[in-house]
Amino acid sequence: MALIVYNSLTRKMEPFVPLVEGQVHMYVCGPTVQDYAHIGHAKTYISFDTMVRYFRHLGLQVRYVQNITDVGHLLDSGEDRILRGAARAKLEPMELVERYMRSYFEDMDALGVGRPDISPRASGHIPEQIELTKRLLAAGHAYEVNGSVYFDVRSWPQYGKLSGRRIEEQEEGTRVAVREEKHYPEDFALWKKAEPDHILRWPSPWGWGYPGWHVECSAMAAKYLGETFDIHGGGIENIFPHNECEIAQAEAAFGATFARYWLLTGSLTLDGVKMSKSLGNFVTIKDVLKQHRPQAVRFFTFSSHYRSPVDYSEEALVAAQRGWERLVGPYLTVRERLIQAGLPAERSRTIEGFVDETRGNFRTAMDDDFNAPAALAVLFDFAKEVNTLLSREAPVGRPDLESIESFYQELVGDVLGLLPHAAAGSADREAGLIRLLIELRAEARQRKDWALSDSIRDRLAAQGVSLEDGKDGTIWKTA
RNA sequence: GGCGACGUCGCCAAGUGGCAAGGCAAGGGUCUGCAAAACCCUCACCGUGGGUUCAAUUCCCACCGUCGCCUCCA
């Protein structure tokens, strides 16, 4: 395994060596399902999806767990985000959660983000969270006050090891509003007592209440991946306090290393400012997909490294769309060529060699902390070579076309998820009809009936199908 | 105020101690009935000032600027 990753825990590039050879256990912080997912979520989850795809490409077995936060996420006012949303929409809290969770999966499906192997919900793991809290109490790392339980940060000297913060430094901070019942400002809630109007509540050894936000990740990761597992992912903005608290809880409770590698993605900004709930400046995935194809969003994500901050703009997405078209162009052409009969049957040594070389370069790029932009550059070089090859006089043989096609399917398709979805069912019929029109147009062109041939092309264009005439016939593409 | 990241062509962006990938845009050309696509050519000395070195965009220091976190957020 030549894969190197940047581990935020050690702040170094490190060879990635799974705990169990051949297996990757990976946990990524999922969304709080209280609103529609935005383009920042898209960046994060496309990035991790691509890591999973790449691991599988390398032949590793992956268990990918991503939680759904549907309880416990409080506003600074002390209000529960889910409850507030539900009250506003006049819905049951779980009705609200269900709505946005479905919407989230819809969006991810549309973006070609593979479903996690397990999508545990916080509300479905209350006993596990209570159990973890009990352990921490027993170990002396937590205390109970008035039916709430807090983690005792001062009992855990390693608190701050991920984010590089020393708790003493925070004391000068202007804003930490000391909650009366906490022993220390940095202590955080493991379990909160439910006030009378708080209807999301469960019974516990400390009375009716609900779990704090951070516990769910520690409890669920441990349950499905073990007390020690390989990768913990998430957005960099959650490094403190969320990720820091996760580590503290889990390691204090289990006495074992929590995640071994921390891979955190850079934030996405909109016009230079981070998109966030509180600022209300967010663009939803659904809105973006009304204007752009999902592959353009993925391409946009890959155009910078996953750890870099990225600024989103309409122009950037248009550029991504163009780039994507260029990248995928040769594949579409090759696919059309393969339909034709009478292709030469010879195999060319040089093409085989070039395909293998490119695959190697692609892996070198991805092995370097999933350097997708560098991987794209490799693929662009390949695309250019293929284009040159296809525009030569001598027709390319079937075996060569097939190896180009499968190269694309393997890397551009399976790993990066950038190929158009395969035609199936009624799409086959549509393709047949378009080819029929192309044939009729070819006959018109033979007769130099430019009026008819241009009319066919224009009217297809109006339907979102563009035609490109080449040496060996006409290629069609959909918008 | 504290912690962290970053500043590379008009825009996006990779990268290395030894003369800087790729994409978008732009200009010129080839091909084409036209168009589109494709192909060829052109297009940067890497924020500023010091230092280390035979040699720095790449290492160190300072400064300027941008962004993230420290409060909910992927």
Side-chain angles (χ1 to χ4, degrees):
Chain A
M1 168 97 37
L3 178 65
I4 305 285
V5 300
Y6 179 81
N7 188 352
S8 291
L9 189 60
T10 57
R11 281 164 221 167
K12 282 192 299 226
M13 297 287 276
E14 295 174 356
F16 177 71
V17 183
L19 199 59
V20 178
E21 197 182 339
Q23 291 182 21
V24 180
H25 278 190
M26 175 164 166
Y27 185 93
V28 172
C29 287
T32 301
V33 282
Q34 44 149 357
D35 207 334
Y36 293 111
H38 55 63
I39 186 74
H41 294 109
K43 174 195 187 309
T44 300
Y45 297 126
I46 287 170
S47 297
F48 288 114
D49 172 56
T50 305
M51 292 180 199
V52 170
R53 286 164 175 262
Y54 188 62
F55 281 133
R56 292 187 171 139
H57 169 77
L58 293 177
L60 292 156
Q61 219 171 60
V62 183
R63 179 182 289 167
Y64 178 23
V65 178
Q66 185 191 107
N67 63 297
I68 294 285
T69 299
D70 59 357
V71 64
H73 212 152
L74 300 184
L75 293 164
D76 46 4
S77 60
E79 244 183 318
D80 183 285
R81 307 178 74 83
I82 302 291
L83 283 183
R84 185 186 63 161
R88 284 187 181 167
K90 297 201 164 44
L91 294 172
E92 269 297 310
M94 284 299 126
E95 205 174 358
L96 181 98
V97 161
E98 201 66 33
R99 169 181 297 181
Y100 289 117
M101 187 173 73
R102 287 179 195 177
S103 167
Y104 170 72
F105 282 124
E106 257 170 43
D107 292 344
M108 292 301 129
D109 289 348
L111 290 171
V113 171
R115 297 274 181 118
D117 300 298
I118 306 176
S119 298
R121 290 169 62 166
S123 65
H125 295 76
I126 302 297
E128 288 82 354
Q129 297 179 69
I130 289 175
E131 189 54 37
L132 184 67
T133 303
K134 280 160 75 175
R135 273 181 181 248
L136 288 169
L137 278 168
H141 291 298
Y143 55 90
E144 182 198 347
V145 187
N146 296 329
S148 292
V149 182
Y150 294 95
F151 185 89
D152 182 0
V153 165
R154 283 176 300 180
S155 78
W156 194 248
Q158 297 164 64
Y159 187 79
K161 73 174 180 178
L162 176 68
S163 60
R165 275 166 228 268
R166 302 299 320 144
I167 50 179
E168 305 84 60
E169 287 166 355
Q170 308 297 316
E171 287 190 82
E172 293 298 319
T174 47
R175 85 301 132 185
V176 178
V178 183
R179 191 149 273 149
E180 292 302 317
E181 51 188 35
K182 286 201 230 173
H183 291 354
Y184 190 72
E186 295 296 311
D187 292 348
F188 54 90
L190 299 165
W191 187 264
K192 292 283 291 176
K193 176 186 181 174
E195 299 303 323
D197 60 333
H198 199 113
I199 57 175
L200 271 179
R201 53 165 66 195
W202 288 265
S204 80
W206 317 285
W208 286 86
Y210 54 95
W213 174 37
H214 315 301
V215 215
E216 58 171 288
C217 288
S218 307
M220 298 192 295
K223 172 162 184 167
Y224 297 113
L225 299 175
E227 294 172 1
T228 300
F229 58 97
D230 297 305
I231 294 175
H232 192 305
I236 186 75
E237 68 281 346
N238 276 335
I239 191 170
F240 189 91
H242 182 62
N243 297 153
E244 196 65 66
C245 295
E246 280 183 70
I247 296 185
Q249 287 162 350
E251 299 194 345
F254 301 122
T257 300
F258 189 48
R260 303 167 58 236
Y261 299 90
W262 284 78
L263 307 188
L264 305 176
T265 57
S267 296
L268 181 141
T269 56
L270 185 64
D271 296 323
V273 182
K274 201 190 75 168
M275 238 189 275
S276 66
K277 305 274 157 69
S278 56
L279 294 172
N281 63 332
F282 64 93
V283 176
T284 66
I285 293 170
K286 290 186 200 309
D287 282 343
V288 173
L289 290 181
K290 280 178 196 155
Q291 300 295 325
H292 303 278
R293 56 193 323 152
Q295 292 88 357
V297 179
R298 293 186 74 95
F299 187 100
F300 170 73
T301 302
F302 301 145
S303 68
S304 63
H305 188 91
Y306 77 87
R307 280 189 281 117
S308 302
V310 174
D311 194 48
Y312 172 85
S313 67
E314 183 60 23
E315 300 74 54
L317 218 57
V318 169
Q321 165 91 26
R322 296 263 166 75
W324 175 78
E325 284 168 7
R326 180 174 167 73
L327 179 67
V328 174
Y331 170 74
L332 299 176
T333 307
V334 163
R335 233 176 30 172
E336 288 294 312
R337 287 267 180 109
L338 279 168
I339 293 166
Q340 298 170 6
L343 292 165
E346 301 89 64
R347 177 182 297 277
S348 148
R349 274 251 159 273
T350 48
I351 291 178
E352 277 307 297
F354 191 62
V355 166
D356 290 341
E357 185 191 329
T358 304
R359 184 183 286 108
N361 292 340
F362 178 88
R363 285 192 183 155
T364 301
M366 290 298 280
D367 278 348
D368 183 16
D369 197 25
F370 308 100
N371 192 334
L376 281 185
V378 169
L379 295 176
F380 273 111
D381 289 342
F382 182 75
K384 176 173 279 191
E385 285 303 317
V386 173
N387 277 330
T388 301
L389 195 71
L390 292 172
S391 57
R392 276 196 201 138
E393 286 301 330
V396 183
R398 178 170 294 274
D400 292 334
L401 291 175
E402 281 169 350
S403 54
I404 293 167
E405 184 191 36
S406 63
F407 172 87
Y408 261 93
Q409 284 169 352
E410 185 189 346
L411 300 183
V412 184
D414 295 345
V415 178
L416 299 181
L418 287 175
L419 288 187
H421 301 307
S426 64
D428 277 342
R429 187 181 326 170
E430 184 185 311
L433 291 171
I434 291 169
R435 286 204 190 88
L436 173 62
L437 287 167
I438 289 174
E439 279 173 37
L440 293 173
R441 176 167 168 275
E443 288 170 20
R445 292 180 72 211
Q446 290 242 305
R447 297 193 306 268
K448 298 200 193 298
D449 184 350
W450 309 129
L452 178 58
S453 83
D454 288 353
S455 161
I456 291 173
R457 186 171 62 194
D458 293 346
R459 293 177 70 182
L460 277 174
Q463 298 293 318
V465 178
S466 57
L467 302 186
E468 295 169 9
D469 300 324
K471 276 193 174 55
D472 302 288
T474 299
I475 300 295
W476 63 276
K477 295 174 179 169
T478 53

